[in-house]
């Protein structure tokens, strides 16, 4: 075989190999991954355990299937509360709708004492702040603490959560947020709301909201942010202040194949519905995204930005 | 000679394999659309716009008087709302109490007409403020936000029609237009029960507790179409 022939073969091989190389998005790989419901979270004593779900409330069979999966997962990972990132009740919200779109699918969780903490989306009637099972205390925006065993008093230690109404970011709300963030002594500050500050789905990043919220998050040490609105799963690479942003917006609704490629995405999943489970142990936040069928679509650990060094942030848990 | 040729071939092979490995590692990155610079550029422009909006909301001299009237009207409405709520005797906010409140407000404001609060004198101010925030390339995100939740935009939901009329109920099942931060920063602030909302291009004053349309300004925004 002469040199020229080797070179020609090399070029052909190179072209074939590179054209077959997948895009950096994890969506394709995730969609083909084997079905597994193996839990990757450490289940340590004293940890804070919760689930995340968004854009759930349409009463569809898919919403019910995700709810069923959540119940199954809770047998192995007993989370104490669920944060809801908006569009919790889509469309009508008469008592029968509340039963069909919330109380019935999550009945086993409600019966087991799991507490739901809601943030409002653009499809939610703002008066759902009065709906007791959403635990909003009658407010559009509010804060709570969680520690071992679930929701705790604001005066106690633990992880501090901030539920924000991104549908109406007026001055009183922004003033409230700054006051609460600045006075919080919690190491972990977690924000959740509907419109994602970073997303590569149909709706995309809410840039006006980012302009007013991100500076506060960076200034006051928010570490993790959960949103919905785009009906997909996305984990964004750490942004300003080391903050990791998640989009968890397919707890019932789904936009298949919706994620645009971007090198800002650490992981994307848009081929099925999903929910998330999260465990906070000391300075580490372990996360796992699980599909409607029980497939683990993403997992890893976020070491709290600003905390004493440990492993690299967002490294795979296993 | 043969040894030298063999050595040279091995060298070439090593070079080719090394190049191949480096290229294949680089290709996924090179092949992906570089969203980051665009995203950062756009985010930077929007952040500047929002910062400017939050820093400048001063009406012109001629508009101040009209604005004072508007602020007096909304303050009066808030007082009226709170008074009715107290009369209903509900210590706790409940859905039933809100429905009773809505009924009471509709009865008391039966003669209310469009423009009672958005008086003709203040309308140019609102249109100017909205045009400033919703026109031009930097306003794309704000227009997108308004359109996404606008009940006239169906998106992937079943549309619920909102009848824009004074004292009409804003249907609980209808979506709500997201109010962009820059728009909320520049429009005159409202007392607690009142919120601004958009339906199509109309700017609504909504009693967010009673769920009623209190007043509206037709065609308040410039064209919101995203081309």
């Amino acid at each position: 075989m002469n040199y020229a022939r080797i070179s020609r073969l090399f070029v052909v091989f190179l072209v074939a190999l590179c054209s077959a190389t997948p895009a950096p998005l994890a969506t394709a790989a995730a969609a083909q991954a084997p079905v597994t419901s193996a839990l990757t979270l450490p289940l340590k004593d004293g940890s804070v355990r919760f689930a995340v779900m968004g854009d759930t409330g349409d009463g569809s069979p898919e919403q019910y299937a995700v709810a069923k999966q959540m119940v199954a997962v809770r047998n192995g990972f007993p989370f104490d509360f669920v944060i809801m990132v908006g569009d919790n009740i889509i469309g009508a919200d008469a008592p029968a709708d509340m039963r069909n779109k919330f109380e019935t699918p999550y009945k086993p969780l409600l019966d087991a004492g799991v507490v739901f903490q809601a943030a409002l989306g653009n499809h939610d009637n703002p008066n759902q702040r009065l709906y007791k099972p959403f635990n909003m205390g009658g407010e559009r925006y509010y804060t709570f603490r969680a520690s071992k065993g679930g929701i705790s008093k604001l005066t106690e230690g633990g992880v501090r959560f901030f539920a924000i109404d991104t549908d109406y970011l007026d001055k009183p709300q922004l003033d409230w947020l700054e006051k609460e963030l600045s006075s919080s002594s919690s190491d972990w500050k977690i924000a959740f709301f509907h419109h994602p500050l970073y997303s590569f789905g149909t709706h995309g990043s809410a840039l006006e909201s980012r302009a007013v919220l991100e500076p506060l998050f960076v200034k006051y040490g928010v570490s993790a942010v959960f949103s919905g609105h785009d009906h997909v799963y996305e984990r964004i690479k750490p942004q300003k202040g080391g903050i990791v942003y998640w989009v968890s917006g397919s707890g019932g609704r789904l936009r298949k194949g919706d994620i645009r490629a971007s090198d800002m995405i650490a992981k994307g999943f848009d081929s099925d519905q999903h929910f998330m489970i999260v465990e906070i142990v000391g300075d580490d936040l372990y996360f796992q995204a699980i599909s409607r069928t029980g497939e683990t679509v993403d997992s890893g650990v976020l070491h709290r930005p600003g905390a004493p060094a440990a492993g690299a942030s967002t490294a795979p848990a296993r | 000679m043969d040894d030298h040729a063999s050595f040279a071939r091995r060298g070439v092979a090593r070079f080719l394999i090394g190049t191949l490995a480096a290229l294949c590692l680089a290709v996924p990155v090179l092949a992906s659309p570089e969203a980051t610079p665009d995203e950062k550029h756009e985010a930077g422009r929007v952040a500047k716009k929002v910062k400017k909006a939050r820093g400048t909301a001063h009406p012109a001299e001629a508009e101040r008087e009209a604005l004072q009237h508007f602020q007096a009207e909304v303050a009066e409405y808030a007082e009226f709302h709170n008074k009715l709520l107290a009369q209903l005797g509900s210590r706790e906010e409940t859905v039933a109490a809100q429905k009773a409140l809505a009924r009471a407000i509709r009865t008391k404001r039966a003669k209310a007409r469009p423009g009672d609060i958005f008086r003709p004198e203040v309308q140019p101010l609102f249109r100017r403020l909205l045009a400033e925030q919703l026109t031009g390339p930097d306003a794309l995100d704000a227009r997108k936000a308004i359109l996404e939740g606008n009940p006239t935009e169906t998106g992937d939901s079943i549309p619920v029609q909102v009848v824009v009329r004074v004292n009409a109920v804003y249907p609980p099942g209808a979506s709500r237009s997201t109010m962009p931060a820059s728009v909320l920063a520049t429009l005159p602030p409202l007392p607690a029960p009142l919120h601004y909302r958009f339906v199509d291009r109309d700017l609504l004053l909504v009693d967010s507790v009673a769920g009623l349309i209190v007043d509206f300004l037709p065609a308040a925004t410039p064209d919101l179409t995203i081309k």
Side-chain angles (χ1 to χ4, degrees):
Chain A
M1 196 180 283
N2 62 28
Y3 184 78
R5 180 128 189 233
I6 290 173
S7 298
R8 273 201 301 276
L9 274 173
F10 168 72
V11 170
V12 170
F13 177 61
L14 185 67
V15 168
L17 190 67
C18 290
S19 63
T21 305
L25 263 185
T27 42
Q32 290 158 10
V35 172
T36 172
S37 55
L39 297 171
T40 64
L41 308 192
L43 266 175
K44 291 210 174 146
D45 274 349
S47 62
V48 174
R49 300 166 192 169
F50 61 100
V52 184
M53 64 182 200
D55 302 73
T56 48
D58 60 359
S60 65
E62 290 80 10
Q63 180 194 358
Y64 276 68
V66 173
K68 207 171 171 183
Q69 191 63 241
M70 289 175 79
V71 174
V73 163
R74 193 172 180 274
N75 290 330
F77 178 75
F79 51 85
D80 297 303
F81 63 100
V82 179
I83 59 173
M84 305 170 76
V85 295
D87 284 2
N88 311 311
I89 303 293
I90 298 165
D93 66 349
D97 299 300
M98 300 308 276
R99 278 194 296 278
N100 179 38
K101 298 171 186 175
F102 178 72
E103 292 159 22
T104 305
Y106 308 111
K107 188 175 187 304
L109 298 177
L110 290 162
D111 288 349
V114 174
V115 174
F116 288 76
Q117 299 280 170
L120 295 170
N122 56 297
H123 285 286
D124 294 320
N125 176 356
N127 282 340
Q128 281 162 21
R129 66 198 161 84
L130 301 171
Y131 179 59
K132 286 210 163 34
F134 284 174
N135 292 294
M136 300 176 73
E139 304 294 340
R140 290 192 296 125
Y141 43 89
Y142 63 99
T143 177
F144 66 94
R145 270 185 198 266
S147 51
K148 180 189 175 184
I151 311 302
S152 54
K153 287 180 184 170
L154 275 178
T155 49
E156 293 169 1
V159 179
R160 185 79 173 262
F161 289 82
F162 300 86
I164 300 170
D165 178 9
T166 45
D167 225 27
Y168 207 85
L169 282 169
D170 56 353
K171 191 172 182 302
Q173 181 176 193
L174 292 170
D175 289 346
W176 166 86
L177 181 62
E178 176 148 29
K179 181 175 160 279
E180 292 294 335
L181 282 171
S182 64
S183 63
S184 170
S185 57
S186 290
D187 286 338
W188 278 103
K189 296 184 182 108
I190 293 175
F192 66 104
F193 46 82
H194 189 57
H195 300 85
L197 304 194
Y198 292 88
S199 174
F200 297 89
T202 292
H203 295 305
S205 307
L207 297 180
E208 289 236 350
S209 299
R210 191 199 294 180
V212 293
L213 290 178
E214 191 177 50
L216 294 177
F217 293 167
V218 173
K219 186 174 179 184
Y220 298 111
V222 170
S223 305
V225 174
F226 297 94
S227 301
H229 199 40
D230 270 322
H231 300 163
V232 295
Y233 172 80
E234 291 172 275
R235 173 164 56 90
I236 306 297
K237 288 178 185 170
Q239 296 297 313
K240 285 179 191 169
I243 303 169
V244 174
Y245 293 84
W246 275 274
V247 177
S248 184
S250 58
R253 300 212 149 179
L254 173 70
R255 277 212 181 95
K256 277 191 180 180
D258 194 46
I259 301 175
R260 285 173 281 126
S262 166
D263 62 1
M264 293 171 79
I265 302 175
K267 188 87 174 182
F269 177 69
D270 58 6
S271 57
D272 203 349
Q273 277 84 355
H274 83 281
F275 68 100
M276 291 179 70
I277 50 174
V278 181
E279 180 173 9
I280 297 176
V281 184
D283 288 328
D284 293 319
L285 180 153
Y286 296 83
F287 60 90
Q288 185 174 0
I290 300 169
S291 77
R292 178 177 59 94
T293 56
E295 175 194 351
T296 294
V297 295
D298 189 19
S299 67
V301 56
L302 163 69
H303 187 67
R304 186 170 60 79
S313 63
T314 65
R318 284 185 183 182
Chain B
M1 267 311 265
D2 279 356
D3 281 352
H4 280 129
S6 169
F7 182 77
R9 277 200 294 274
R10 281 204 299 275
V12 168
R14 280 195 200 102
F15 171 76
L16 290 178
I17 288 165
T19 310
L20 178 68
L23 272 169
C24 286
L25 281 173
V27 158
V29 176
L30 295 173
S32 69
E34 287 286 338
T36 311
D38 284 351
E39 167 90 10
K40 279 186 181 161
H41 179 64
E42 180 68 13
R45 289 199 321 184
V46 171
K48 269 186 198 164
K49 171 185 175 275
V50 174
K51 192 176 177 186
K52 191 178 165 198
R54 296 177 84 189
T56 57
H58 307 296
E61 189 70 36
E63 294 166 328
R64 275 190 201 148
E65 198 180 334
L67 183 59
Q68 279 172 357
H69 277 294
F70 174 82
Q71 284 170 328
E73 294 285 351
V74 291
E76 194 180 313
Y77 179 88
E79 201 182 325
F80 159 78
H81 166 109
N82 293 335
K83 212 169 162 182
L84 276 182
L85 199 60
Q87 279 173 8
L88 289 168
S90 174
R91 287 187 179 182
E92 195 184 351
E93 272 192 282
T94 61
V95 173
Q98 285 167 1
K99 282 184 178 168
L101 175 67
R103 278 195 300 274
I105 290 173
R106 292 173 87 160
T107 305
K108 295 269 183 188
R109 295 188 78 234
K111 289 180 180 170
R113 294 287 174 266
D116 280 357
I117 297 177
F118 281 124
R119 288 181 181 188
E121 310 89 83
V122 85
Q123 291 179 7
L125 169 65
F126 276 89
R127 291 202 169 92
R128 177 177 69 77
L129 293 173
L130 289 171
E132 280 171 11
Q133 297 308 322
L134 299 173
T135 311
D138 296 349
L140 193 67
D141 189 72
R143 294 207 297 275
K144 190 164 67 98
I146 293 172
L147 286 172
E148 274 175 10
N150 203 305
T152 58
E153 293 288 311
T154 56
D156 56 356
S157 298
I158 301 161
V160 177
Q161 200 193 354
V162 180
V163 178
V164 179
R165 198 176 58 217
V166 171
N167 281 340
V169 172
Y170 194 105
S175 65
R176 281 152 181 78
S177 59
T178 302
M179 295 300 297
S182 61
V183 170
L184 287 176
T186 49
L187 291 183
L190 295 173
L194 290 171
H195 278 180
Y196 294 111
R197 291 288 176 191
F198 290 105
V199 172
D200 200 0
R201 292 173 52 215
D202 300 346
L203 178 68
L204 274 58
L205 264 186
V206 177
D207 183 325
S208 64
V209 175
L212 290 177
I213 297 172
V214 176
D215 200 0
F216 63 94
L217 179 59
T221 73
D223 181 17
L224 294 171
T225 313
I226 295 169
K227 284 150 191 161

